[in-house]
């Protein structure tokens, strides 16, 4: 249907346009409506350009075709616009633009008469001397160019006629139009080339300078480029082919005239126009051999232009253009010209006064590349000479040009690349940061060129060398700010180059693999591990995908020397583990190391695949999305060592594990003393020895560390202890025997000689003996910490504890021998740092023994006798007796020692408030006052006895609490203090949870019957609940951390409230309990006839810790506690209590869930309590939205309904 409409429109529109053209004569020239109508009609024309006439039945057997409706349409529009021009109506510039738009869609349908009139009108406006603006001339020129699209042979003769006018220079607009014609219709202009050049040649002497010169140069440039286009597309030209000689013969006179008369022009714009024209004409002349000599003369002239023009980019563009043409015709460069080109281009790049832009640099590099294709030897020699001497900027420029040569695909240039790489070696150690950066950029270009030769990839090593050099300078410090910035940028550049390597090229698994793998192990290259890991993993994946097939296709690029430099599998594992274990420095680097380990598992050991497939993803998951500050270093290190142990378990090869331990020992020797890396390597070595199945090797390594370690160096001693203690995990008896053997030998050979020699030697020997003893004491403690518990208990008494005490006594004897008078105090004062470490080790040993106990039999002994604190308590008691010494100095030293000892105790405490309390005691002891309060001594005694109790509670919480609860009522002061000690500890929440669970279980076991036996059982249950409640009260009294305690409130409050409710009106239970009950809670003035107040007092104490004082005062003002202990007023008390809890924000979903089952309880009292609670809960509108944190209104309603039905039943 749309086709029919358009067909009809094509029939009607021509007649309409004719009528519209007549009507236009009556319309005002500036009428905008007429202009809009004309535009609308032009828009309809393309719609009709290819519409076919609909098929008709009478057309059968006849040829059909399209109806030429558009011919008359375009002719009508063109005629209308032409008439407006002839009648000088409207804006002529606008009319020309509209006509140009119509002609751009014209396919030659205008009649010759219309074309001739249009050409005459446009030519008249172009050449009019007066009354015509520049815009009108340009518009008329554009119309002629558009008309030439379909009527070229009408337009070109017209322009040629104007060009041949004798006696004057052609009009500028005519020349510009000729330039446009050559640019738009290059091949059509070929028959008119010699005619046009001949006409221009006749007027060259009259051109002069300025705007006309630039116009003529533009025409010459466009027509010369058109000839070059013809040379490349002769077969597409519709005219008979002409020879190269005819064109060169026509162009050469013009070229000579321009070279002689115009090249010395003064104006910058004129120079640029002349350069472009001469270069375009030279490109034509280069196709004829006899004119090439003049081309090289022009090259020298172009090089001279560098010193005369301000914008040298145009000169470089022309030079590149000429060199490209010369290279295409394979013209040899005359002697000396290559050096001149290299010198000029290099000078442009090295001129610090006017640094070229990026585009200009690329063009200059292009010039050198083109020259190198013609004379590679001379080019490379010149650049090599610039590297060995000259300025810093000259070396940077030479390296940049060498990088451009690396991408050349010319065989002659690529043959010289080994010389280029050799030349680079002369500046690798240049102190200039700019030169070092240029070297790295050259390496980037060389490696991205796709070369498959060994010499090209040998430069990879310099990336790592430069990274290490920059990192070393940054670590050393002492740099100026700009030097720090430069070295940091060089480090980043090294990583960027390595990260951008394309490993997908053929041969990379042989070219890159050995050159990269050797940089994984050295510690100075750890900062490059992220991009290095990426490259190596990509190579492994490629190798695994291709298999042996790729190895056959790749060139033999690896020599035996490179293979010999590959690191051992044990070295790779050891180094990557160090990187993984240090996420506090860089979590991303640890991820890269783990990923590389997973990729290399087959090359490290074939037995690691299954274990690492499970373990490494777990470690990566822990590191995902975390920074160094989010990871606990000690915990992460423990996980890495555990990973190492799990990795070594499936390896049955003894020699492989022995080699790993030797590799770890070797890396230990190259690590910095006292560094974190070295401390970890000690632990890793001990872990490797624990997994080693060669017992002789393990024994030898343990003895070697014991004998060769310098005990005077604390870091070495700590490292030795780490090795020995970690090795004891699997070889406890072997390691312990070796340590005892060394201890016996050292005592016999070393300690017994301390009384011989000069005094200085005696002092040195004494200090060394003390250091050995201290190290051995800590070694025994470390072995006990790491040893299997079932093996430890068989030898802990005599071999471990006995040796520690023996070494400790030997140290004390040495102190007494050395110092007279107050020798003991002085000795303690002088060696307190060493003694502190010994006490800490003994404390660790006690913790180990506590962890090993499985029964609760020993807890009573700890509670009553304090067996585990004898060492600390004895030393405190000894120092206390010395504080009353008549010598002031001795007394003061005793006070200082006590203060220091308490500070040591504080450092071992986990709870911050306990450590603060002990520090306060130490400050009181170190105060200048001569009298110390009795309260201070009491606190000291408590600190010396409570620590082992807390250790027991930490590891065996349930047995210890059960032991305390069995002491019965009333509580003595010691038991009260122990409960409060738990309240001040870090495990207070765990203790309270345990007590709540016990209270709930006691309540669930309660039996209320009328038989005497069951009643007695009920009394026992009540007594148990009262004891638990009293314990809860004492723990809460000492509680300091309120945040976690509030989270426990939804579980603690229902347990206490349950018993407070069930004990209403239960005074008859008091009589069988005897005097113990009557004395219960007398301190709190609890009335013996109201036992429920025991639980209400506990509730009041708990809420006092959770609520502000204003809420507690409101409870008092409303007599809540009195109401709760009255059976009749109890529901009202519960309602008021609930109201305050809601306002204080203490009613949580967990509290609601815990009270909800009471609605269906068998106990009437609990149902009453729950009903009062939920009545107030509903009254406050807490469930208006239907649910809250999983507690649904419907659930409560159904529960209440079921409870009501149960009551009725």
């Amino acid at each position: 249907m749309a086709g029919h409409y358009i067909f009809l429109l094509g029939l009607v529109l021509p007649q309409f346009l004719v009528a519209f053209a007549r009507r236009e004569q009556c319309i005002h020239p500036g009428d905008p409506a007429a202009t809009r109508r004309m535009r609308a009609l032009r828009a309809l024309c393309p719609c009709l350009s290819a519409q076919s006439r609909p098929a008709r039945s009478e057309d059968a057997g006849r040829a059909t075709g399209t109806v030429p409706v558009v011919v008359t349409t375009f002719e009508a529009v063109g005629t209308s616009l032409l008439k407006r021009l002839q009648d000088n109506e409207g804006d002529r510039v606008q009319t020309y633009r509209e006509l140009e738009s119509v002609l751009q869609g014209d396919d030659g349908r205008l009649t010759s008469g219309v074309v001739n009139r249009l050409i005459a009108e446009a030519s008249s406006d172009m050449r009019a001397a007066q009354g015509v603006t520049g815009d009108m001339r340009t518009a008329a020129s554009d119309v002629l160019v558009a008309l030439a699209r379909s009527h070229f042979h009408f337009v070109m003769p017209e322009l040629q006629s104007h060009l041949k006018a004798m006696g004057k220079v052609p009009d500028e607009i005519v020349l510009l139009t000729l330039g446009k014609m050559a640019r738009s219709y290059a091949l059509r202009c070929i028959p008119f080339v010699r005619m046009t050049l001949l006409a221009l040649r006749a007027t060259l002497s009259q051109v002069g300078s300025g705007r006309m010169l630039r116009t003529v140069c533009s025409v010459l440039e466009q027509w010369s480029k058109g000839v070059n286009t013809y040379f490349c597309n002769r077969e597409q030209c519709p005219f008979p082919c002409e020879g190269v000689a005819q064109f060169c013969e026509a162009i050469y006179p013009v070229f000579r005239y321009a070279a002689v008369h115009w090249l010395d022009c003064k104006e910058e714009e004129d120079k640029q126009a002349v350069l472009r024209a001469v270069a375009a004409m030279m490109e034509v002349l280069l196709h004829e051999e006899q004119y090439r000599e003049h081309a090289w003369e022009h090259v020298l002239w172009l090089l001279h232009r560098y010193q005369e023009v301000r914008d040298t980019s145009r000169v470089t563009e022309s030079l590149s253009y000429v060199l490209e043409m010369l290279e295409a015709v394979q013209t040899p460069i005359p002697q000396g010209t290559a050096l001149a080109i290299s010198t000029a281009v290099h000078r442009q790049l090295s001129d610090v006064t006017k640094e070229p832009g990026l585009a200009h640099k690329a063009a200059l590099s292009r010039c050198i590349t083109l020259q190198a294709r013609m004379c590679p030897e001379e080019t490379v020699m010149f650049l090599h000479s610039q590297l060995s001497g000259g300025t810093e900027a000259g070396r940077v420029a030479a390296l940049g040009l060498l990088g451009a040569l690396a991408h050349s695909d010319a065989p002659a240039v690529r043959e010289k690349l080994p010389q280029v790489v050799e030349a680079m070696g002369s500046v690798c150690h240049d102190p200039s940061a700019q030169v070092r950066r240029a070297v790295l950029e050259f390496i980037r270009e060389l490696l991205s060129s796709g070369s498959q030769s060994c010499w090209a990839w040998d430069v990879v090593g310099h990336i790592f060398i430069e990274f290490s050099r920059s990192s070393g300078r940054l670590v050393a410090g002492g740099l100026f700010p700009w030097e720090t910035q430069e070295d940091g940028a060089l480090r980043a550049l090294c990583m960027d180059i390595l990260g951008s390597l394309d490993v997908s090229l053929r041969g990379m698994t042989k070219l890159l693999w050995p050159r990269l793998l050797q940089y994984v192990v050295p510690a100075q290259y750890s900062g490059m591990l992220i991009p290095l890991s990426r490259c190596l993993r990509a190579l492994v994946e490629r190798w695994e995908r291709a298999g042996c097939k790729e190895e056959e296709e790749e060139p033999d690029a690896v020599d035996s020397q490179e293979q010999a430099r590959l690191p051992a599998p044990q070295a790779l594992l050891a180094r990557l583990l160090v990187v993984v274990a240090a996420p506090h420095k860089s979590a991303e680097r640890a991820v890269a190391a783990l990923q590389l380990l997973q990729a290399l598992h087959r090359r490290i050991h074939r037995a690691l695949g299954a274990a690492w497939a499970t373990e490494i993803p777990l470690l990566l998951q822990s590191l995902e999305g975390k920074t160094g500050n989010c990871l606990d270093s000690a915990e992460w290190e423990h996980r890495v060592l555990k990973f190492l142990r799990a990795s070594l378990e499936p390896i049955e090869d003894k020699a492989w594990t022995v080699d790993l331990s030797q590799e770890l020992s070797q890396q230990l020797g190259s690590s910095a003393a006292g560094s974190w890396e070295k401390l970890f390597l000690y632990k890793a070595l001990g872990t490797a020895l624990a997994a080693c199945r060669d017992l002789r090797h393990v024994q030898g390594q343990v003895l070697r560390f014991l004998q060769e370690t310098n005990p005077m160096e604390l870091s070495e001693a700590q490292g030795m202890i780490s090795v020995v203690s970690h090795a004891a995990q699997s070889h406890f008896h072997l390691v312990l025997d070796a340590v005892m053997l060394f201890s016996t030998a050292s005592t016999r050979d070393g300690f017994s000689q301390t009384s011989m020699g000069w005094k200085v030697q005696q002092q040195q020997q004494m200090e060394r003996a003390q250091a050995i003893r201290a190290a051995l004491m800590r070694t025994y403690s470390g072995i006990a910490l790491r040893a299997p518990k079932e093996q430890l208990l068989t030898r802990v008494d005599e071999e471990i504890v006995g040796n520690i005490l023996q070494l400790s006594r030997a140290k004390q004897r040495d102190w007494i021998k050395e110092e007279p008078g107050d020798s003991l105090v002085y000795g303690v004062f002088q060696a307190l740092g060493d003694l502190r470490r010994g006490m800490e080790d003994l404390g660790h040993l006690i913790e180990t023994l506590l962890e090993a106990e499985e029964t609760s039999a020993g807890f009573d002994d700890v509670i009553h006798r304090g067996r585990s604190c004898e060492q600390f308590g004895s030393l405190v008691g000894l120092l206390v007796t010395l504080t009353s010494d008549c010598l002031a100095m001795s007394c003061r030293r005793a006070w200082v020692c006590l203060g220091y000892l308490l500070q040591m105790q504080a450092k071992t405490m986990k709870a911050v408030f306990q450590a603060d309390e002990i520090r306060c005691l130490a400050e009181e002891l170190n105060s200048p006052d001569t009298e110390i309060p009795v309260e201070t001594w009491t606190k000291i005694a408590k600190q010396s006895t409570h620590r082992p109790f807390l250790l027991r509670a930490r590891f065996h919480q349930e047995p210890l609490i059960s032991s305390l609860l069995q002491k019965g009522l009333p509580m003595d002061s010691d038991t009260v203090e122990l409960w409060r000690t738990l309240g001040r500890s870090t495990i207070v929440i765990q203790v309270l949870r345990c007590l709540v669970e016990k209270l709930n279980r006691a309540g669930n076991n309660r039996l209320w019957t009328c038989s005497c036996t069951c009643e007695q059982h009920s009394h026992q249950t009540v007594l148990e609940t009262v004891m638990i409640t009293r314990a809860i009260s004492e723990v809460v009294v000492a509680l300091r951390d309120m945040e976690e305690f509030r989270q426990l409130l939804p579980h603690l409050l229902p347990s206490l409230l349950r018993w407070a409710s069930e004990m209403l009106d239960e005074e008859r239970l008091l009589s069988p309990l005897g005097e113990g009950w009557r004395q219960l809670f007398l301190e709190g003035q609890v009335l013996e006839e109201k036992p429920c107040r025991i639980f209400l007092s506990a509730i009041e104490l708990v809420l006092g810790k959770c609520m502000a004082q204003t809420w507690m005062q409101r409870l008092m003002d409303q007599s809540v506690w009195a109401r709760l202990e009255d059976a009749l007023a109890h529901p009202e008390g519960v309602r008021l209590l609930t109201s305050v809890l809601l306002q204080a924000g203490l009613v949580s979903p967990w509290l609601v869930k815990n009270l909800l089952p009471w609605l269906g309880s068998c106990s009437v009292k609990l149902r009453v309590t729950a009903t009062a609670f939920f009545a107030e809960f509903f009254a406050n509108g807490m469930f208006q939205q239907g649910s809250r944190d999983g507690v649904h209104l419907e659930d409560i309603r159904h529960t209440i309904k079921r409870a009501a039905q149960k009551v009725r039943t």
Side-chain angles (χ1 to χ4, degrees), residues 711 713-715 717-722 724-725 739 771-785 804 807 811 833-834 836-842 844:
E713 293 291 338
L714 184 59
S715 60
Q718 179 61 42
M720 179 272 294
I721 296 168
S722 296
V724 175
S725 61
V739 174
I772 293 175
R773 290 191 181 97
L776 285 173
M777 291 172 63
R778 300 178 67 194
T779 303
Y780 282 118
S781 178
I783 292 175
L785 287 173
I804 290 177
L807 292 168
K811 293 173 67 175
D834 188 37
R836 177 193 61 186
R837 292 190 296 271
M839 290 298 299
E840 290 177 354
D841 293 334
L842 193 59
H844 290 314

Side-chain angles (χ1 to χ4, degrees), residues 262-406:
W262 292 348
L263 290 179
D264 295 329
C265 56
K266 304 301 181 183
E267 296 295 330
E268 182 71 18
E269 293 185 28
D270 297 348
K271 291 179 181 180
Q272 301 298 339
V274 172
L275 283 175
R276 292 193 295 271
V278 171
M281 291 187 289
M282 184 181 295
E283 183 179 0
V284 176
L285 295 176
L286 287 176
H287 288 83
E288 188 68 20
E289 186 175 358
Q290 62 177 327
Y291 299 110
R292 292 173 186 171
E293 178 182 352
H294 302 290
W296 290 116
E297 294 177 1
H298 179 64
V299 168
L300 295 177
W301 176 83
L302 284 174
L303 298 179
H304 185 67
R305 294 300 96 186
Y306 275 123
Q307 303 175 10
E308 299 180 354
V309 299
R310 292 189 298 272
D311 184 9
T312 57
S313 62
R314 296 294 184 181
V315 179
T316 303
E317 182 181 348
S318 300
L319 178 61
S320 174
Y321 192 61
V322 173
L323 290 175
E324 188 171 354
M325 293 299 103
L326 289 171
E327 194 270 335
V329 298
Q330 299 181 356
T331 302
I333 298 181
Q335 187 177 4
T337 305
L339 179 61
I341 295 174
S342 300
T343 303
V345 172
H346 181 264
R347 184 180 294 116
Q348 288 296 308
L349 288 170
S350 59
D351 188 358
V352 295
T353 60
K354 48 179 181 178
E355 184 177 357
L358 294 178
H360 192 191
K361 285 183 178 180
L364 290 168
S365 300
R366 174 67 176 163
C367 292
I368 287 294
T369 303
L370 291 170
Q371 175 187 288
R373 296 170 68 94
M374 293 181 282
C375 51
E377 185 71 29
E378 292 82 355
T379 305
V380 173
M381 288 181 59
F382 171 79
L383 295 177
H384 192 179
S385 65
Q386 298 302 314
L387 291 179
S388 57
T391 63
E392 173 187 311
R395 296 193 293 276
V396 172
L399 286 167
L401 294 174
L402 287 173
L405 294 184

Side-chain angles (χ1 to χ4, degrees), residues 452-454 458 507 510-512 514-515 554-559 562:
Q452 296 182 2
S453 302
C454 293
D458 286 339
K510 283 189 175 181
L511 287 170
L512 263 183
R515 289 169 173 82
E554 293 179 352
D556 186 12
V558 185
D559 53 24
E562 295 261 346

Side-chain angles (χ1 to χ4, degrees), residues 162-304:
H162 298 319
L163 185 65
K164 296 177 182 178
M166 301 299 294
K168 65 174 184 178
V169 179
D171 292 335
E172 178 185 353
I173 191 64
V174 173
L175 294 175
L176 291 175
T177 306
L178 284 171
K180 297 175 185 177
M181 295 285 286
R183 183 169 59 249
S184 301
Y185 317 109
L187 296 181
R188 295 188 186 183
C189 292
I190 293 300
F192 300 92
V193 171
R194 284 188 289 176
M195 184 187 309
T196 303
L197 291 175
L198 184 62
L200 288 174
R201 179 182 173 186
T203 61
L204 292 179
S205 60
Q206 304 176 36
V207 171
S209 61
R211 185 170 179 175
M212 182 56 67
L213 174 62
R214 295 193 294 274
T215 303
V216 172
C217 287
S218 176
V219 175
L220 293 174
E221 178 186 1
Q222 298 301 328
W223 281 75
S224 298
K225 288 183 177 180
V227 173
N228 282 310
T229 303
Y230 167 72
F231 287 160
C232 299
N233 303 276
R234 294 188 186 187
E235 66 280 356
Q236 300 180 12
C237 186
F239 307 106
C241 295
E242 297 191 34
V244 175
Q246 288 82 355
F247 290 107
C248 292
E249 183 179 353
I251 287 179
Y252 180 69
V254 181
F255 170 79
R256 289 298 301 172
Y257 186 89
V260 173
H261 296 90
W262 292 348
L263 290 179
D264 295 329
C265 56
K266 304 301 181 183
E267 296 295 330
E268 182 71 18
E269 293 185 28
D270 297 348
K271 291 179 181 180
Q272 301 298 339
V274 172
L275 283 175
R276 292 193 295 271
V278 171
M281 291 187 289
M282 184 181 295
E283 183 179 0
V284 176
L285 295 176
L286 287 176
H287 288 83
E288 188 68 20
E289 186 175 358
Q290 62 177 327
Y291 299 110
R292 292 173 186 171
E293 178 182 352
H294 302 290
W296 290 116
E297 294 177 1
H298 179 64
V299 168
L300 295 177
W301 176 83
L302 284 174
L303 298 179
H304 185 67

Side-chain angles (χ1 to χ4, degrees), residues 55-112:
R56 297 175 298 178
S57 59
E58 57 268 23
D59 290 336
R62 294 186 298 173
T64 60
T66 58
V67 177
V69 296
V70 185
V71 175
T72 53
T73 301
F74 277 112
E75 184 176 358
V77 174
T79 302
S80 175
L81 293 173
L82 177 60
K83 188 172 188 334
R84 288 175 58 184
L85 291 173
Q86 291 175 337
D87 296 343
N88 199 19
E89 298 175 353
D91 185 354
R92 294 182 67 83
V93 175
Q94 181 64 30
T95 303
Y96 274 125
R97 294 303 179 198
E98 295 175 359
L99 188 56
E100 179 188 0
S101 176
V102 172
L103 292 174
Q104 286 177 349
D106 185 17
D107 292 326
R109 301 180 184 87
L110 294 178
T111 63
S112 59

Side-chain angles (χ1 to χ4, degrees), residues 488-499:
L490 288 174
R491 277 172 44 95
L493 180 59
C494 291
M495 297 183 67
D496 182 61
I497 294 174
L498 186 61

Side-chain angles (χ1 to χ4, degrees), residues 662-676:
Q662 292 175 347
E663 178 61 37
L664 289 168
S665 297
Q666 183 178 349
Q667 293 191 20
L668 266 173
S670 60
S671 300
S675 64
W676 177 92

